Amino acid sequence: PMRNSETTILKTLKSLRDQIYPIYEIVVVDNASIDKSVTVVDKYRNKYKKIPIKILKNSTNIGVGGSYNRGVA
């Protein structure tokens, strides 16, 4: 889950990309961010098309637990 993570989400995505384990899918759940977090993830997804990134957007803040549950469902 992310909420207003514009300044930190890129570091997280790079960390996932650089790990030694194969990446099958990255699921990013946006918890009603009001900054440019989703734009940052979308640009990253367009740059690294071989990494499947799914963005789920919550229209309202449902909290970390709710966002986590949505992401793993």
Side-chain angles (χ1 to χ4, degrees):
M2 74 171 178
R3 178 162 168 84
N4 299 330
S5 302
E6 177 181 1
T7 60
T8 58
I9 192 64
L10 190 58
K11 184 176 180 180
T12 302
L13 293 170
K14 286 180 180 179
S15 175
L16 289 169
R17 184 191 70 208
D18 294 341
Q19 70 180 350
I20 61 171
Y21 300 104
I23 299 174
Y24 298 104
E25 180 180 47
I26 296 173
V27 178
V28 178
V29 182
D30 176 57
N31 195 21
S33 294
I34 57 173
D35 66 356
K36 295 180 183 175
S37 298
V38 174
T39 302
V40 172
V41 175
D42 201 40
K43 285 181 181 180
Y44 190 88
R45 178 171 57 178
N46 289 332
K47 184 176 181 179
Y48 296 98
K49 294 183 186 278
K50 290 185 178 183
I51 302 173
I53 300 175
K54 180 190 254 183
I55 303 172
L56 304 174
K57 299 178 188 176
N58 298 337
S59 57
T60 60
N61 182 350
I62 62 172
V64 174
S67 294
Y68 177 80
N69 288 337
R70 183 165 184 229
V72 297

